[in-house]
Amino acid sequence: MFGRIGRAAVLRPWVTISAWIVAAVALAVLAPQLKSTSDQADFLPSHYESVQAAKVQERAFPQHEQPAAVAVFQRADGQKLTAADRTEVAEIASRLQGLGIDRIKRVETGPQAVSPNGRIALASVVATVKDPYDPGLMKSVGKLREQARPMLEGTGLKLGVTGQAASALDSKEASGDTDSMIMSATLVLIVVLLLLIFRSPLIAVLPVLIIGLAFMVATGLISTAAEIGGLKADSSISAILIVVLFGVGTDYILFLLFRHREQLRSGQAPKQAMITAVSLVGETIASAAGAVIVAFLALLLSTMGMLRTMGPSLAISVAVALLAGLTLVPAVFSLLGTKAYWPSKSWREQPKNAVAARVGRLAARRPGVVAAVTGGLLAVLAGGVLGFRAEFDTTSSLPQHLESVRAMRDMQRGFPAGETDPTTVYLEKSGGPALTPGQLEAYGAALGKVDGVGQVSPAVLAGDGRVARYSVVLDHKPTGEKAINVVAGPLRDTAHRAAPEGTRALVGGTTAVLGDIENAVNHDYRVVFPAAGVAIMLILGLLLRSVVAPLYLMVSVALGFGATLGATVWLFQNSQGKDGLLFTLPVIVYLFVVAIGTDYNILMVARLREEIEQGRPPREAAARAVARCVPTIGAASVILAGTFGVLMLAENSMLQQMGFAVAFGILLSAFVMAMLLVPALTTLLGRRAWWPGLRPAAAPEPVPVRDGDRTLV
């Protein structure tokens, strides 16, 4: 089948290229634009308590206003605020409100906004929009900061703005233009490394153009599916699409070009060499893409809307990269022939590949030692997973000099840490008389006795008196682990237990949402990962027509996953003293290390089988397969790892964690697992690795190909 696909693309290159260009242009013009959204309604399923609490709020307290940001005032000399200082604070708040800044409804303060120790005064910034991550609101918070600075001159006061909107603004600015940085670094790495590998300017540039065309098609298909087929996607997926498409796209192009050059060196004509290359590695590329696609589609089993949205979009992008690798790449390079490698003449001569040959001989001659050492290394690194702690506080990763971080520390000198974002408890009565004052007071007192609760506001009743709202300020930072443990544990337990007969209690707010997300993430670990593993193993079984090989391949993949996550724990959590690591990090490692990194294992094991089918003994087959695959795997993995490694230059520690984990995991998958562990295990098992049996390889039949007035074979 793949020979026919390659033949069609090579013999009708202009038809193939034109079809791709027409598709890209048509989708760019006709497909709807991906819309940016911050709607988190589907982030968690409706059965989670925080979601139910949000619905009660919308129904019973539609006008409830939560400050989007908090202005923190203090004296510059650190002393207690005087009466004159408090007057200045009130005047500044009034002047800020009078500016009429877009999306800011009120800036208000009062006697209750001064801390018990008299050192800190707060002004609540109430927005006209409910979403604290609204781009317009974040811009307005930045403007409020600018307008407030001259008002402080001569007052002896300092001001810092913190809270959700302010932290979101600082996070965005601290990240910088990450998308552009990733794109620029990716392009530079691809061009430079391909130039070094092939010593050809055409091969350095063409993959970038080909993948760019595929990116246009993928984006158009995703937006069309989102509009017509109900697929949920938004413009935030673009950054990750860049990495996925350029990562897997470059891998597939390299798989094909290295095999094309190998066939040229064996004496085949350029067009026939490309047809043979597609025939030989087409199944490998399709299997690698299939493994990535099913891994991404397994995210549909996630309980979190963010991941369910991401899965189908990434699956579409990989499918487009596969199609481009099997059709567009052969068509383009069939037109160029050997000119694609100009000015290099390396396609004419067999390379020495001394390093690759030594690696192959090592894996073939000492398979037991290699397997023990590499497996032991992965196991030791994987031990770090036992200490993994999930960090849900995304603001903790921000540089400490940012205003929202400093203002939060200042506020905590006078107020409970949870003042900026209180947890909300709703007490709802379904029938009978309204809630009585005695019930409300007793319930509030019970909430106030929970360890970790700083203060509980008096109950606010809805119009019919059947729903009461309590604002609960925690002693801990709302997004921190301690606050999440309090809300998900003793506060919820007390809220449910102390609820009067005939009522139900619901705990909501940011901290409650994070507690539910933690439960959802743990659910996904138990469901998504095993489902993806089984699907990938089935694909490997179909590719290799073996029951044994997929089993030890998946064991090696699991070891690689653990080693990657464990190494990140050792580096960031243990060595640098972090409270925890990004809570989505295991999913990110799964997406980019397990799913995409499996490509290298598939390429290696497919070549191992090919060598075995040609009648070579296991040790010779391993030596030859490793020697042939090392340049391809090395080049592809360095490009992909380098792309993610750029994230380590960001100031945001969570981006640094992500960059290190993925870059390290990709290199581990390539240089330890694919090049050493998998060939060593395959050699140890011998022909048993391919049970229930092997079949002789069918060499691709030469196909007459016209080249001008000559017929080439």
Side-chain angles (χ1 to χ4, degrees):
M1 179 182 75
F2 294 102
R4 291 195 295 272
I5 293 173
R7 191 178 306 121
V10 167
L11 298 184
R12 299 177 180 82
W14 286 114
V15 173
T16 304
I17 295 170
S18 299
W20 273 93
I21 293 174
V22 169
V25 172
L27 287 168
V29 173
L30 301 176
Q33 293 294 314
L34 280 174
K35 299 174 183 178
S36 180
T37 179
S38 56
D39 181 11
Q40 295 299 318
D42 293 328
F43 192 77
L44 287 168
S46 59
H47 67 268
Y48 281 96
E49 185 172 334
S50 60
V51 178
Q52 295 178 21
K55 292 179 179 178
V56 171
Q57 176 185 308
E58 292 173 4
R59 184 181 71 250
F61 301 97
Q63 304 303 318
H64 174 58
E65 296 175 330
Q66 185 80 11
V70 176
V72 182
F73 293 88
Q74 61 181 316
R75 285 182 59 87
D77 59 10
Q79 299 301 311
K80 288 186 177 182
L81 295 166
T82 65
D85 293 331
R86 298 182 186 188
T87 301
E88 287 283 3
V89 169
E91 290 181 357
I92 292 172
S94 178
R95 291 169 63 187
L96 288 172
Q97 180 173 329
L99 294 175
I101 300 175
D102 183 44
R103 285 178 168 78
I104 292 181
K105 186 176 183 179
R106 291 194 312 276
V107 182
E108 56 187 6
T109 187
Q112 300 298 321
V114 178
S115 65
N117 62 13
R119 296 179 183 276
I120 306 295
L122 305 180
S124 298
V125 180
V126 180
T128 59
V129 295
K130 291 185 178 181
D131 182 10
Y133 303 100
D134 178 81
L137 176 58
M138 288 191 287
K139 184 177 179 181
S140 295
V141 169
K143 185 176 181 180
L144 183 142
R145 284 173 169 174
E146 294 174 3
Q147 297 291 334
R149 291 192 187 101
M151 298 180 186
L152 297 170
E153 294 178 3
T155 64
L157 297 173
K158 293 196 306 182
L159 168 65
V161 181
T162 188
Q164 286 183 297
S167 296
L169 172 64
D170 287 343
S171 178
K172 180 180 178 182
E173 292 179 347
S175 298
D177 198 352
T178 304
D179 287 0
S180 298
M181 179 175 67
I182 291 175
M183 175 63 90
S184 300
T186 302
L187 295 180
V188 170
L189 279 168
I190 290 175
V191 170
V192 171
L193 289 175
L194 288 179
L195 191 60
L196 290 174
I197 294 165
F198 289 97
R199 299 188 296 279
S200 165
L202 276 175
I203 291 183
V205 173
L206 281 175
V208 173
L209 299 178
I210 290 170
I211 298 171
L213 194 64
F215 178 79
M216 293 174 62
V217 173
T219 304
L221 289 176
I222 291 168
S223 62
T224 302
E227 185 76 15
I228 299 174
L231 169 68
K232 291 183 177 294
D234 66 86
S235 58
S236 63
I237 197 71
S238 296
I240 200 168
L241 282 182
I242 292 170
V243 176
V244 169
L245 266 172
F246 277 89
V248 301
T250 303
D251 279 1
Y252 301 158
I253 291 174
L254 287 176
F255 291 178
L256 193 61
L257 289 184
F258 271 95
R259 199 56 184 259
H260 179 237
R261 191 170 65 174
E262 184 180 330
Q263 298 308 127
L264 288 174
R265 287 166 175 165
S266 70
Q268 287 191 347
K271 291 182 183 293
Q272 181 59 51
M274 181 56 73
I275 294 173
T276 304
V278 175
S279 178
L280 290 173
V281 300
E283 186 178 13
T284 301
I285 294 174
S287 299
V292 178
I293 288 170
V294 297
F296 287 155
L297 289 179
L299 293 177
L300 289 170
L301 300 174
S302 170
T303 57
M304 294 195 295
M306 175 185 68
L307 297 180
R308 290 199 308 273
T309 294
M310 186 187 299
S313 298
L314 295 178
I316 290 173
S317 68
V318 174
V320 171
L322 168 63
L323 190 60
L326 295 180
T327 59
L328 184 58
V329 174
V332 170
F333 282 90
S334 71
L335 289 174
L336 296 170
T338 57
K339 296 183 181 68
Y341 298 94
W342 180 89
S344 172
K345 303 294 185 183
S346 61
W347 59 272
R348 291 182 173 177
E349 302 172 355
Q350 291 289 348
K352 295 181 180 179
N353 283 342
V355 174
R358 283 198 293 270
V359 173
R361 288 195 296 271
L362 175 64
R365 293 177 180 175
R366 307 292 296 275
V369 174
V370 171
V373 171
T374 54
L377 172 64
L378 294 175
V380 169
L381 290 175
V385 174
L386 299 176
F388 175 78
R389 294 190 300 273
E391 175 62 75
F392 292 85
D393 181 10
T394 56
T395 62
S396 67
S397 65
L398 297 176
Q400 295 301 300
H401 67 271
L402 294 177
E403 181 173 334
S404 62
V405 179
R406 288 187 287 105
M408 176 64 74
R409 288 200 305 265
D410 293 338
M411 190 193 72
Q412 292 174 11
R413 292 171 48 223
F415 289 93
E419 185 75 28
T420 59
D421 193 2
T423 294
T424 310
V425 179
Y426 297 93
L427 187 63
E428 183 179 31
K429 192 169 186 181
S430 57
L435 292 163
T436 66
Q439 288 176 320
L440 296 175
E441 185 176 349
Y443 188 71
L447 295 177
K449 293 178 182 178
V450 175
D451 188 26
V453 171
Q455 62 186 45
V456 179
S457 68
V460 177
L461 281 172
D464 60 0
R466 297 181 185 281
V467 182
R469 185 186 75 239
Y470 295 85
S471 183
V472 179
V473 176
L474 303 174
D475 289 330
H476 313 294
K477 193 175 180 181
T479 53
E481 182 181 7
K482 291 181 179 179
I484 294 172
N485 291 337
V486 168
V487 170
L491 180 59
R492 268 189 175 156
D493 292 342
T494 300
H496 297 159
R497 184 177 60 252
E501 187 176 353
T503 66
R504 71 163 181 165
L506 296 170
V507 180
T510 301
T511 310
V513 169
L514 292 178
D516 288 340
I517 288 175
E518 184 173 14
N519 291 332
V521 169
N522 291 333
H523 166 272
D524 290 350
Y525 293 164
R526 295 190 300 269
V527 175
V528 176
F529 290 1
V534 170
I536 291 174
M537 192 160 61
L538 289 175
I539 288 177
L540 289 173
L542 292 174
L543 167 68
L544 303 173
R545 293 171 290 279
S546 166
V547 173
V548 177
L551 292 175
Y552 68 79
L553 282 175
M554 291 309 299
V555 170
S556 69
V557 166
L559 271 177
F561 173 85
T564 301
L565 195 57
T568 310
V569 171
W570 292 120
L571 177 62
F572 288 92
Q573 191 173 288
N574 296 345
S575 299
Q576 296 186 10
K578 299 289 183 183
D579 292 334
L581 301 181
L582 177 64
F583 74 96
T584 56
L585 193 62
V587 178
I588 291 169
V589 172
Y590 155 77
L591 287 175
F592 295 105
V593 176
V594 174
I596 297 178
T598 301
D599 287 2
Y600 309 129
N601 281 336
I602 289 176
L603 179 67
M604 178 61 74
V605 80
R607 189 60 185 255
L608 282 166
R609 183 180 180 94
E610 182 183 327
E611 297 292 341
I612 287 287
E613 287 178 334
Q614 291 175 1
R616 295 184 176 88
R619 291 179 184 272
E620 182 185 348
R624 286 178 60 87
V626 173
R628 298 285 188 178
C629 291
V630 160
T632 309
I633 293 174
S637 62
V638 167
I639 289 174
L640 187 58
T643 299
F644 281 96
V646 173
L647 293 177
M648 296 184 68
L649 301 176
E651 289 188 280
N652 188 306
S653 65
M654 288 193 175
L655 290 178
Q656 294 171 0
Q657 293 170 24
M658 186 190 308
F660 170 81
V662 177
F664 181 79
I666 290 293
L667 295 177
L668 204 64
S669 297
F671 288 89
V672 176
M673 293 162 58
M675 294 185 189
L676 294 171
L677 180 58
V678 169
L681 290 175
T682 306
T683 303
L684 284 174
L685 290 170
R687 297 184 68 86
R688 289 171 294 182
W690 313 107
W691 184 85
L694 289 168
R695 60 173 174 75
E701 296 181 4
V703 179
V705 177
R706 296 292 299 174
D707 187 4
D709 57 353
R710 297 181 300 161
T711 298
L712 303 175
V713 175

